Amino acid sequence: MGFGFRSQSPVYNVISYEKIVSELQRCDVSRGFREPIVSQVPRTAVNWDAMCPQELGSTISIHPGGCYSELLVFCTAARQHLDAISDLPRDRSRSCYSAALRALSHKAVQLTPRRWLNLQEYQSKKLMADHGVTVQRFFVADTANDALEAAKRLKAREIVLKAQILAGGRGKGVFNSGLKGGVHLTKDPAEVGQLAKQMIGYNLATKQTPKDGVKVKKVMVAEALDISRETYFAILMDRASSGPVMVGSPQGGVDIEEVAATTPHLIFKEEIDIFEGVKESQALCMAENLGFKGPLQQQAADQIKKLYNLFLKIDATQVEVNPFGETPEGQVVCFDAKINFDDNAEFRQKEIFAMDDKSENEPIENEAAKYDLKYIGLDGNIACFVNGAGLAMATCDIISLNGGKPANFLDLGGGVKEAQVYQAFKLLSADPKVEAILVNIFGGIVNCAIIANGITKACRELELKVPLVVRLEGTNVHEAQRILKESGLPITSASDLEDAAKKAVACVAKK
């Protein structure tokens, strides 16, 4: 059970009630209706303000790759309201619904992206249990004695002991204590204490951790259950459906992408109405498709509805259970899951976001996050300072193509402030591997002059010792170029990305 990172930073849009109303009006006029009917959709058609962060007033924030649910609430309520109060053709009221969705394309404001939430397995299992979802009985321990006592309290026929780190591949990992495997099964509670002694306080290295591994601070002591059959079940926000969907397969416990590629007829998909939720008939149909029979079918349907309730209550963009299995004793259990959260909902999910485990991050990543910077360390010597995840990846690629090696992936994001530029340079210049810094900024909503002022301030106050190559393009670029030129600092300007990469690589080659 774990929580994955998204490889690219989400782009956040702030969309106001007024913007959607404007789009509805535009739709009415473009379709040739003499009198716009949007005025008949009062703000009170839904409790708009209750859905929105107070600090944003009458706006909502949505990322285009994920959760549309709150916009859908307004748009669908508006459509239903129109259907109820007028004799208009249904296609006209639905056109308003479609038009409101198109308001997503209006990027009123772009906010700085944030790091996606990561929780430990025991934390996510507790969330599921708190919402009535059936999981294995478990305890969490941070000492060997606590692990031993937990094993005794479980009174289970068999016990599974799991090291709690965020990386995958724990079962095949190796501890620097000499113990092999971060997951162990035993029927003897006393053995749990002995195993925990070799886990807690030691580093566990897996295929997903750094070479030296990650220190284990806690272990989960859980009841081990036999699985007689494994299925796959997930609820996620789906762009094509403009809302949540259920996806299931009777082939669980394996890579679902492989199942979809080799046996697509075993993948079942069901759209969920955002207002009605999962109907009993839908849950039973999905349970049947997953192969549950007899009393287990109703039990699986109940678990599906509880998972959807969890999905809504915690503002998830995805709840994926694999395996969603049955035991020989006739119990339907969620054995392992991955949950992704909508970062836009942090303001109302404070308790969940407070559980975010950052202890396994590199210290420099945590420091960068304080200033809304996304930093990933690499093994090269040319530091990259870029705005936007896509541009950052392209910059890393072009450095490599020109014979260099990027030292990091640093995404400045969209809502750039001068102080962020300074802190970014402070982080980069503190890395002993860095022999040159390449700044590559494309100013769409980013003001290049702010970047230029931040660069000059950082160079002077930090007394930058490594070569600096700067490529700026976009908003206020001429003013930015003037600031850099008149600074008197040894800054190398580049005309485009190719030119910038060649100059950065050349700076390193001279050393």
Side-chain angles (χ1 to χ4, degrees):
M1 184 177 296
F3 296 74
F5 283 103
R6 291 250 177 132
S7 59
Q8 294 187 11
S9 306
V11 178
Y12 294 85
N13 302 326
V14 175
I15 303 165
S16 68
Y17 173 93
E18 288 72 21
K19 172 64 75 176
I20 293 175
V21 167
S22 172
E23 183 68 13
L24 290 169
Q25 288 174 326
R26 187 196 65 75
C27 175
D28 268 354
V29 172
S30 68
R31 286 173 63 87
F33 297 120
R34 271 186 256 167
E35 197 178 310
I37 58 170
V38 71
S39 59
Q40 298 178 58
V41 187
R43 191 187 189 93
T44 53
V46 290
N47 190 359
W48 180 268
D49 295 314
M51 298 189 297
C52 307
Q54 290 183 354
E55 60 269 25
L56 293 179
S58 58
T59 62
I60 58 175
S61 54
I62 294 169
H63 61 81
C67 184
Y68 292 139
S69 58
E70 301 209 336
L71 181 62
L72 281 170
V73 168
F74 169 74
C75 299
T76 307
R79 186 192 78 201
Q80 292 180 344
H81 185 75
L82 290 172
D83 287 341
I85 67 171
S86 68
D87 295 325
L88 291 164
R90 192 165 183 80
D91 68 329
R92 184 177 176 191
S93 65
R94 287 188 179 275
S95 73
C96 294
Y97 174 70
S98 300
L101 289 180
R102 285 203 301 276
L104 281 169
S105 64
H106 293 279
K107 296 183 179 178
V109 180
Q110 188 167 357
L111 302 180
T112 304
R114 295 179 180 176
R115 172 185 173 275
W116 281 65
L117 175 63
N118 272 276
L119 299 184
Q120 297 283 4
E121 177 182 5
Y122 73 90
Q123 294 171 318
S124 54
K125 278 196 171 178
K126 185 177 186 306
L127 275 178
M128 297 174 80
D130 288 346
H131 287 80
V133 178
T134 302
V135 298
Q136 298 149 285
R137 293 185 297 121
F138 71 93
F139 294 104
V140 180
D142 53 16
T143 69
N145 285 336
D146 287 346
L148 175 59
E149 291 303 313
K152 291 177 180 177
R153 274 187 290 161
L154 273 177
K155 296 179 180 178
R157 180 174 55 83
E158 192 170 24
I159 301 162
V160 59
L161 181 67
K162 289 186 171 185
Q164 295 298 285
I165 62 171
L166 294 172
R170 290 173 293 172
K172 296 181 179 179
V174 178
F175 286 89
N176 59 355
S177 64
L179 179 67
K180 293 183 179 179
V183 179
H184 287 266
L185 284 167
T186 180
K187 295 181 179 179
D188 182 4
E191 192 178 350
V192 171
Q194 294 299 319
L195 289 167
K197 277 184 182 179
Q198 300 175 75
M199 289 184 175
I200 298 171
Y202 292 97
N203 284 18
L204 173 60
T206 78
K207 61 183 180 181
Q208 292 185 10
T209 66
K211 185 179 179 181
D212 294 333
V214 173
K215 181 176 285 189
V216 173
K217 298 179 180 178
K218 295 179 185 292
V219 292
M220 185 175 75
V221 185
E223 176 186 26
L225 297 175
D226 292 329
I227 307 176
S228 58
R229 200 175 64 86
E230 297 179 323
T231 75
Y232 171 93
F233 179 74
I235 302 170
L236 62 151
M237 297 304 299
D238 180 54
R239 179 177 296 213
S241 305
S242 298
V245 297
M246 294 188 291
V247 179
S249 173
Q251 296 293 315
V254 295
D255 187 350
I256 194 63
E257 285 80 7
E258 184 179 333
V259 175
T262 57
T263 52
H265 62 283
L266 294 178
I267 300 291
F268 299 92
K269 181 177 175 182
E270 182 81 25
E271 294 183 12
I272 302 170
D273 186 288
I274 195 72
F275 285 105
E276 295 185 16
V278 177
K279 300 175 186 175
E280 178 73 11
S281 59
Q282 285 182 304
L284 284 169
C285 181
M286 179 59 74
E288 183 180 1
N289 288 335
L290 296 181
F292 291 101
K293 301 185 184 303
L296 286 177
Q297 188 176 115
Q298 183 61 59
Q299 195 181 144
D302 291 341
Q303 288 295 300
I304 286 170
K305 289 189 287 184
K306 287 175 180 178
L307 284 166
Y308 182 67
N309 182 54
L310 168 73
F311 178 83
L312 288 182
K313 290 289 180 65
I314 64 174
D315 286 299
T317 55
Q318 174 180 288
V319 175
E320 182 184 48
V321 183
N322 190 18
F324 182 54
E326 61 182 70
T327 68
E329 295 76 25
Q331 189 178 24
V332 178
V333 180
C334 297
F335 286 95
D336 205 355
K338 180 170 73 173
I339 305 176
N340 289 340
F341 295 88
D342 185 351
D343 279 6
N344 293 312
E346 182 177 357
F347 72 95
R348 65 183 181 199
Q349 299 289 353
K350 294 187 185 299
E351 288 186 11
I352 291 176
F353 278 77
M355 294 190 290
D356 192 5
D357 189 347
K358 299 178 182 178
S359 63
E360 294 180 23
N361 293 352
E362 292 292 329
I364 192 170
E365 290 181 23
N366 289 333
E367 186 66 21
K370 291 180 184 178
Y371 305 100
D372 290 323
L373 300 169
K374 282 188 173 291
Y375 181 96
I376 299 173
L378 301 173
D379 57 2
N381 54 6
I382 299 176
C384 304
F385 178 81
V386 188
N387 68 313
L391 191 59
M393 288 187 286
T395 304
C396 289
D397 287 344
I398 203 163
I399 287 173
S400 298
L401 286 171
N402 281 277
K405 288 186 177 180
N408 67 274
F409 172 107
L410 191 148
D411 177 8
L412 188 62
V416 184
K417 296 178 182 177
E418 196 173 305
Q420 283 178 296
V421 179
Y422 176 84
Q423 292 298 333
F425 266 86
K426 191 174 179 181
L427 289 170
L428 296 177
S429 60
D431 186 345
K433 300 194 310 292
V434 170
E435 297 179 14
I437 297 175
L438 169 56
V439 176
N440 182 26
I441 300 293
F442 182 82
I445 60 170
V446 173
N447 188 330
C448 291
I450 292 176
I451 300 291
N453 283 323
I455 289 172
T456 54
K457 179 182 178 182
C459 286
R460 290 191 178 101
E461 295 187 13
L462 298 174
E463 298 180 354
L464 197 65
K465 302 287 195 251
V466 297
L468 173 62
V469 179
V470 178
R471 179 256 181 168
L472 300 174
E473 192 61 66
T475 304
N476 221 3
V477 66
H478 297 300
E479 174 63 12
Q481 289 171 342
R482 182 193 65 77
I483 292 169
L484 295 179
K485 186 176 181 180
E486 294 178 3
S487 69
L489 295 166
I491 298 171
T492 303
S493 294
S495 57
D496 55 36
L497 180 51
E498 180 80 21
D499 183 43
K502 287 180 178 178
K503 287 178 177 176
V505 172
C507 288
V508 173
K510 289 177 184 178
K511 292 194 173 186

